[in-house]
Every structure is written in structure tokens, then in C-alpha cells.
Amino acid sequence: MNTQDSRICAACRNVLVGRYCHGCGQDSTAKPVPLREMAIEVATSYSPLDGKAARTLAILLVRPGRLLEAYREGAGSLYVTPLKLFIVATTLFLAVLNFSDTTLFQFTWKVDTPGQPLQAVYDPESMEISVVGATSEDRWLQARVEPAIDPEVTAAIEKGAREAADEVTRANMAYELVLNAEQARLAERLSGWLPNVLWLLMPLYAAGLVPLFGRRRLFLEHVIFAMWAHAAAFVLAMAMAALNAWGANLSAVLLTLPYLAYFTIAAARYYAMSPLQALWRGVLHLAFYVFLVLLPAVLVILATVTDWSAFVTWLRSV
């Protein structure tokens, strides 16, 4: 090659052979671009949802097993990596909750008919407080309710504590107010800690796949499936959160059916087994993950918001 006729890379001074420098990757034809193109470049380069991510989420939605097949067959370059897919799905899920004003979890206690008198009642057998004329509810992926607990409900419980005929009833009424405050902190902490908690639980999800889908496979294969499954769950949860923000008021329990359907299709293709085999294994794995992983994790978070001094005082009173 005649170096006198060759161009030199302006970035690293290597001799150019073609448009892009083989040493540093610099584009030799780079030049100022219009503002519109610059805005598009910023949007696709510095946001989690670029063109490849959008294609990946679309395939995840309509062809559940295709991504896993692509990763296994070496065609993963068409889609984002399992790690980025999980990060993108988590980010979008939290964004949907924020912009649609829905909550991951919220405990509400609302008056049935505004203006009606309320009465707090203590049941000594169940040791629970109820308020006649008001309804309490655990809301998952529902539109945010403010205030979560009606002031009238709080006033009724406070009145019940003042007028209680015995110390046990008084103590339970007073502790109910503490529990209501803890529920508000639990809702806030669940939403704030969700990404970190799922990162910690991901290996446990993958470990639960090992006895059901093959001990001879590399653990990394199960981790890849775990990331895919969490991303699929987030996509489904995003759809439910959006529907509930528009007033659908769907129960989060309904997510179990589409999740198991996605899981069955993907597991059958990824682990090379029949859909029936994948289905019953998926049901067992879901039970394992909910009761032995997610529920203990929620209990740990609950322990961080518990007013232990008030709890001890209540125990001594009853």
C-alpha cells in the first residue's frame, strides 16, 4: 500500500483501510449532524430502550421461547443479552409504576359510605380489629389511593381505644394504629428495594430450576432462564399496572396464568421437553419460589419496618 496516498486516523494516527479505523474504531467520515439526528442518537445510546431492546421486548411478548432458542443457537446478537433484558424490563416496570401512579403494594382502609358513623370492634378470638362501615384491602399493582387509610378510620380506632372496657382491647386498638403505620412503610420499602431484592433472589430462582430441569446443565444456563423469566414477569406486571391505572382493578393473582403459560412454552423449548412436562415442573417451581423465596424475603423486609418496642409492649399487654 502506498502510505503517501493513505489516510491517517485523526484519533490514533493509524493508517486507515476503509471507513473505520482498525485500531480505535473511529469513523473517518464523522461530521457534525443535524439536531434531529443528534437527538435520536442520544435517545438510543443513553436510554435502556434502544431499537434492539424494543425488538427483544416485542419478541418476548409474542414468542416467549424464541429468545432462549436464539441464545442457545448462537443467534443472540439479534437481541439484547439476558442481563440487559432483565435490567431494561426492571427499569421500564418501575417507570410504568411511577408515571401511571400505580403501586407495587398498598394497604388501604376506606370508608364505605362517606359521612356514616364508624365503630372499631375487637374480636378476642382472632385478635383482629375491624371497623364497621369501612373496608380494608391489600392492593397489588393497583392505582394509588391517597390517603391510604381514611382519617375517619383512624379516628374510630383511636376512639375505640379510649372507650375500651378492658386493657387487652385497649392495647390491641392502640397497636392497630402502629400496624397501619408499618403497612405504609412496608409499601414504600417494597417498591424501593425491589430491584436489589430481585438481584439477590435471582440465584435462588435459578437454583430451583436445577432439580426440575436438569442437574447436568451448566448453572449459567439456568441463570439465563431465570433472567428471561423475571423479564417476562415484569412485562406482564407492566401490562396489568397499565390496565389497573385505567380502572380495570384486576387482581395480581391473575398474573399466575399468563406467567405459567409463558414459562411452559419457553421451558419446553429451552430444556427440550414436552409442554406437559414443562407445565407441572413450572407449577412446582412457582410454588417453591413464592413460598420458600419471595415470602421469606417479604418477611425480612417487614422486619425492617416493624416497631419492635411497640410490639413488645403489645405482647406484654395481651
Side-chain angles (χ1 to χ4, degrees), residues 42-56:
V42 169
T44 58
S45 299
Y46 300 101
S47 71
L49 190 59
D50 54 18
K52 184 182 288 189
R55 183 191 311 121
T56 303

Side-chain angles (χ1 to χ4, degrees), residues 204-217 219 222 225 259-260 263 267-268 270-290 292:
L204 296 178
Y205 184 102
L209 296 170
V210 174
L212 294 170
F213 293 94
R215 296 182 178 88
R216 296 183 179 180
R217 294 179 178 272
F219 186 67
H222 299 303
F225 189 92
Y259 169 81
L260 282 176
F263 186 103
Y270 189 65
Y271 292 109
M273 59 179 59
S274 70
L276 183 60
Q277 290 176 318
L279 176 60
W280 72 259
R281 286 174 170 83
V283 172
L284 286 181
H285 185 269
L286 180 61
F288 154 79
Y289 193 58
V290 169
L292 297 182

